Amino acid sequence: MVAVIGLITVLLPPYDGPWWVIGLAVLVLGLSALVFFASRLRGRRSWLDPLAAYLLFPYAALLHDAAGAGAGGSSSGMTALLLLPILWLAITGTPHQLWVASALAVLTFAVPIVLVGPPGYSWGDWRRAVVWCAVALVIAPVLQRIVRDLVRQSRRVRIANDRVERLFDDAPHGVALLDPVGTIIRVNVSMSVMVGLEPVDMVGHRLGAFETPGEDRIQDHLGRLMFRRGESHSTECRLRDSGGNDVNVSLSSTVVSDSEMGDIVMVNVVDISDRRRYLDRLSHLADHDVLTGLANRRRFETELERHLDHCRRHGPSGALLLLDLDNFKQVNDSLGHNAGDQLLVVIAGLLRRSIRSTDVVGRLGGDEFAILLTDADQADAARVAELVVERVRTHAATLDGVARRVTASVGAVTFRAASEHAADALALADMTMYDAKEAGRNQVAVLTEGDVRGPRTSARLHWQSRIEAALENDRFELHLQPIMNIADGRISSAEVLLRLRDQDELVPPARFIYIAERVGLMPRVDAWVVDKSLELLARLRREHDPEFEFEVNLSGHSIGSTEIESVIVSSLATHGVDPSALILEITETAAVGDVALARDFAERMTDLGCAFALDDFGAGFGSFYYLKHLFFDYVKIDGEFVAHVHESQVDRTIMRSIVGIARDLGKRTVAEFVSSQEILDVCREEGVDFAQGYLIGKPVPYDEFVERFMPSATAVARG
């Protein structure tokens, strides 16, 4: 355009330039234009790009001549056109091309002087040539550097803006920009996907409009944020998506000042629905029985203690029912544990439907259940107990085989009756329940208010005498359950499990351990178990495997006991067992009343050379507390997270987390409840060290254990 304006200026009269000079200038300008457009069509730089600028030098020389007085010369005003190609190359060209432009600028003046000479072109035009050469050589490179710096800075700004845009749009969590009152200015894709709308459909609406109806947390959050602008604020709330589903989110916000738009609130929105479900499940698992979903023993005892506090403040009210299934062991022995578990689940459902929503039903262990009636007198307690017995009997009548013989024995105690006897309500209910069993089972026994005689059979004292007799007459038995080293498939250790021989029945520990704990016999029982276990371990190491190890359970009531400690020390010496072969196992849910005392005990046993295992890890929120404050060498993953790990991604994630934490702390892991090859494969893939469960082997007496597992101890590689 500048070149064309220069041409028009020359064409306007008056002028004395020859017509052929102007015609040649027009031709050169047209050629320069063609070269320019041709270079643009190529899409990339080539020799055509500077050629268009080079052609402007002869064009400027022709106009310089045509516009001069007479035949051109120094009076021509078209000299300024030389700036056009020089600036053009300074902006778009290279330093080499500027050198060429300098040469062409000199030639533009030198050629007419040489060819035409005075008087048309005086020798003074050399000065003008020198000046234009200086412009091309000095000023143009400076301009070129300035332009290149501007281009680089513009590119950086553009790249930075593009990066910010991509970070905003592609952020894995939601991001929203709001004005100070909470109206959405912009949202990214993740935020729109979370709500189920397009970004454009959200702009202009209040963020609080997408919150679950009835909640106002977002507005409160923004109010606190604007009140204290210099700080970041976080909160949790629920958004409702376009499908009507609630999404649990965490908001983290800050105020950003903008010179043009004023204050802008930037909100990071993270979907925490999975984390919330995970925490809710952990909370549920901590307080509920894994199989039936009822309150577990710890939760039930918490509710019972809360009700007892209420009774102490407002007087005794309500009742406690203890239920035990008759002949349930025969179901497990004849039909298998799966059938027994299924029956327990059904019984749990019957119990739920037999009480009010304000009452509490829990599974205390095995086939024992408890019901807390928060507002009931003696007649109400008897009526609910009779209803439970009838429903269990009616359901069992519909079953086949030994399951038809399953009934319920219920002991019922009102809290008024318990206060009259100044005794523990749960212990009284247990004694009364055994009154029902000894009355022929499938019965209800109620501790009558005002009856100072108490339960007829005094079951608690009866069990106490049975435990004492078992200790004195060696009627306890030890069974061994194998534990396999997953790395090499070798049965390298076993867990020692206690049984009580009662005539022809082997009574599992769930039936009597809690009574032993209540009457203070547990340290004696644990002492017997430790001594007998070390006797068997010494024999097994001597005759079969000198590196074999035993895991021996200790009750929370025995931790720190001087009796237990002295028995461990003396038995190790008596039987000549290496202390490192003894692994003392403490259940994570055990009532460790004095953590400092337990820590001192664990420290002394560790100094002695014994190892410790934390059982049922993950069953309660105390897991990590115990792991931090007590000495443990092994972490036994609770069976709840193992039994379905091959089917549940959540269980597998929890297992992977436990294994990772244990490995980082230098602990080894044991997976319980390994009942199938699929579960074992997952345990191997996730890095679990040892496996225990029915796939590896059931608990059996010592002789059977040796016969079944020791001959193949070095060749049991599974999978």
Side-chain angles (χ1 to χ4, degrees):
M1 291 179 61
V2 174
V4 169
I5 291 173
L7 180 62
I8 293 174
T9 303
V10 171
L11 290 175
L12 292 176
Y15 71 93
D16 297 320
W19 64 269
W20 60 270
V21 174
I22 297 176
L24 189 57
V26 173
L27 181 62
V28 173
L29 180 60
L31 181 60
S32 176
L34 288 175
V35 172
F36 173 78
F37 288 113
S39 67
R40 290 296 179 270
L41 292 175
R42 292 177 64 90
R44 57 187 180 84
R45 295 188 62 82
S46 66
W47 58 274
L48 291 175
D49 291 89
L51 182 59
Y54 294 158
L55 290 173
L56 290 178
F57 282 100
Y59 167 75
L62 290 170
L63 289 190
H64 172 68
D65 179 82
S74 59
S75 62
S76 171
M78 294 296 107
T79 304
L81 283 176
L82 288 178
L83 278 175
L84 181 60
I86 293 174
L87 292 178
W88 185 343
L89 292 174
I91 295 173
T92 65
T94 65
H96 173 74
Q97 292 167 359
L98 278 180
W99 282 98
V100 175
S102 301
L104 291 176
V106 172
L107 290 175
T108 301
F109 290 98
V111 169
I113 294 173
V114 173
L115 296 180
V116 178
Y121 292 92
S122 65
W123 294 107
D125 283 342
W126 281 107
R127 301 187 187 94
R128 196 174 290 108
V130 171
V131 171
W132 282 107
C133 182
V135 170
L137 289 175
V138 179
I139 299 177
V142 173
L143 177 62
Q144 187 177 61
R145 284 194 295 272
I146 294 173
V147 170
R148 288 190 173 183
D149 288 342
L150 290 175
V151 170
R152 281 194 294 267
Q153 292 177 13
S154 299
R155 186 182 298 112
R156 291 194 196 100
V157 171
R158 184 171 62 255
I159 292 174
N161 288 337
D162 291 343
R163 185 180 297 114
V164 171
E165 292 291 328
R166 287 197 302 272
L167 288 174
F168 183 89
D169 290 331
D170 300 337
H173 56 267
V175 183
L177 301 181
L178 316 176
D179 64 15
V181 298
T183 303
I184 296 175
I185 301 173
R186 183 180 177 184
V187 297
N188 68 345
V189 176
S190 295
M191 181 67 189
S192 65
V193 169
M194 198 180 301
V195 179
L197 296 173
E198 293 295 327
V200 67
D201 295 329
M202 298 181 65
V203 174
H205 295 278
R206 293 283 186 94
L207 182 61
F210 300 99
E211 193 173 10
T212 299
E215 296 188 3
D216 200 22
R217 295 188 179 184
I218 292 180
Q219 200 59 39
D220 291 342
H221 171 72
L222 294 176
R224 292 194 303 272
L225 182 69
M226 297 307 297
F227 181 72
R228 305 179 69 176
R229 302 189 181 199
E231 302 177 2
S232 296
H233 289 270
S234 300
T235 191
E236 293 183 3
C237 65
R238 290 185 298 169
L239 301 180
R240 178 155 293 180
D241 64 18
S242 58
N245 303 308
D246 288 340
V247 182
N248 289 287
V249 298
S250 173
L251 305 182
S252 178
S253 307
T254 186
V255 178
V256 179
S257 297
D258 185 272
S259 58
E260 296 181 359
M261 302 182 65
D263 289 338
I264 297 177
V265 179
M266 185 172 70
V267 184
N268 290 308
V269 185
V270 179
D271 187 346
I272 59 171
S273 299
D274 289 340
R275 186 177 74 185
R276 175 59 59 189
R277 284 191 291 270
Y278 173 73
L279 291 175
D280 290 344
R281 184 176 183 190
L282 283 181
S283 178
H284 184 271
L285 290 175
D287 292 328
H288 292 78
D289 177 61
V290 174
L291 178 64
T292 63
L294 299 177
N296 59 16
R297 187 182 191 92
R298 178 168 53 186
R299 171 65 181 277
F300 187 84
E301 289 182 345
T302 300
E303 294 295 334
L304 177 59
E305 187 60 36
R306 183 181 293 115
H307 184 75
L308 289 173
D309 288 340
H310 175 81
C311 292
R312 284 190 283 268
R313 290 194 304 270
H314 305 288
S317 64
L320 180 64
L321 278 60
L322 200 65
L323 176 149
D324 188 84
L325 297 180
D326 308 317
N327 304 314
F328 179 75
K329 184 178 183 300
Q330 298 179 20
V331 176
N332 279 337
D333 293 343
S334 302
L335 304 179
H337 287 277
N338 287 336
D341 289 348
Q342 185 177 1
L343 180 58
L344 289 176
V345 171
V346 174
I347 297 298
L350 294 177
L351 297 180
R352 283 196 195 94
R353 294 191 293 272
S354 302
I355 62 173
R356 300 163 300 186
S357 60
T358 55
D359 300 327
V360 181
V361 58
R363 182 187 178 202
L364 302 187
D367 58 342
E368 189 175 58
F369 298 86
I371 298 174
L372 172 62
L373 303 176
T374 57
D375 184 16
D377 55 20
Q378 183 171 296
D380 295 330
R383 184 167 54 253
V384 173
E386 293 286 355
L387 176 62
V388 167
V389 170
E390 175 61 26
R391 287 187 171 179
V392 172
R393 180 172 56 244
T394 301
H395 174 73
T398 65
L399 304 177
D400 297 327
V402 295
R404 294 178 61 88
R405 298 198 293 271
V406 173
T407 56
S409 296
V410 180
V413 176
T414 63
F415 289 99
R416 185 177 300 278
S419 66
E420 291 172 353
H421 289 80
D424 180 79
L426 194 59
L428 286 174
D430 180 75
M431 298 178 198
T432 307
M433 183 264 291
Y434 272 95
D435 283 349
K437 281 188 175 294
E438 296 199 0
R441 304 188 178 187
N442 192 28
Q443 301 283 332
V444 172
V446 180
L447 180 61
T448 306
E449 295 176 3
D451 186 354
V452 297
R453 293 174 299 173
R456 291 189 300 274
T457 59
S458 299
R460 180 174 177 179
L461 298 177
H462 176 62
W463 267 110
Q464 180 177 349
S465 64
R466 291 172 69 183
I467 295 170
E468 290 174 341
L471 288 169
E472 294 172 0
N473 302 313
D474 268 349
R475 288 208 294 267
F476 282 124
E477 294 184 10
L478 297 181
H479 285 200
L480 305 178
Q481 184 171 23
I483 299 175
M484 185 183 78
N485 188 320
I486 296 180
D488 57 17
R490 190 173 68 91
I491 303 300
S492 58
S493 59
E495 181 177 357
V496 179
L497 301 172
L498 181 64
R499 302 289 187 266
L500 189 152
R501 174 65 66 179
D502 186 12
Q503 297 177 357
D504 295 331
E505 180 185 10
L506 274 179
V507 182
R511 292 274 300 276
F512 60 83
I513 287 296
Y514 78 95
I515 295 178
E517 291 178 340
R518 287 179 179 275
V519 299
L521 286 174
M522 206 59 227
R524 288 183 59 190
V525 173
D526 281 342
W528 185 94
V529 171
V530 168
D531 183 64
K532 294 299 180 181
S533 297
L534 290 176
E535 179 182 342
L536 292 179
L537 180 58
R539 178 181 168 189
L540 193 150
R541 287 167 67 92
R542 183 174 58 252
E543 298 176 358
H544 300 280
D545 186 350
E547 296 182 354
F548 208 80
E549 299 175 345
F550 269 5
E551 290 188 6
V552 179
N553 291 279
L554 290 182
S555 166
H557 292 260
S558 298
I559 301 301
S561 167
T562 55
E563 179 181 359
I564 289 295
E565 189 170 342
S566 63
V567 167
I568 292 174
V569 174
S570 62
S571 294
L572 286 171
T574 300
H575 301 296
V577 176
D578 184 349
S580 64
L582 177 62
I583 303 172
L584 300 173
E585 185 173 309
I586 300 176
T587 304
E588 187 271 316
T589 53
V592 181
D594 191 334
V595 174
L597 181 66
R599 180 182 176 87
D600 292 341
F601 171 76
E603 187 173 2
R604 290 192 298 273
M605 292 298 97
T606 301
D607 292 341
L608 183 64
C610 300
F612 273 82
L614 179 61
D615 196 13
D616 295 340
F617 185 85
F621 287 130
S623 302
F624 295 102
Y625 180 80
Y626 292 146
L627 195 62
K628 176 181 178 181
H629 291 282
L630 299 180
F631 292 90
F632 289 101
D633 304 280
Y634 297 86
V635 172
K636 302 193 74 171
I637 305 171
D638 186 71
E640 162 64 15
F641 306 120
V642 179
H644 303 287
V645 73
H646 59 302
E647 302 170 334
S648 169
Q649 187 59 43
V650 173
D651 288 347
R652 185 161 185 165
T653 301
I654 294 174
M655 173 182 284
R656 185 182 304 126
S657 301
I658 294 175
V659 172
I661 293 171
R663 184 181 296 116
D664 290 343
L665 295 177
K667 319 294 183 186
R668 307 184 77 182
T669 50
V670 183
E672 301 179 299
F673 284 43
V674 177
S675 57
S676 68
Q677 184 63 43
E678 291 82 0
I679 297 176
L680 180 60
D681 291 340
V682 173
C683 293
R684 180 181 289 111
E685 292 171 5
E686 296 301 336
V688 178
D689 298 301
F690 300 93
Q692 178 181 358
Y694 281 3
L695 175 68
I696 312 303
K698 297 182 180 180
V700 293
Y702 175 84
D703 292 337
E704 185 178 347
F705 179 86
V706 170
E707 180 182 351
R708 292 181 57 185
F709 300 108
M710 297 316 297
S712 56
T714 59
V716 188
R718 300 172 183 270

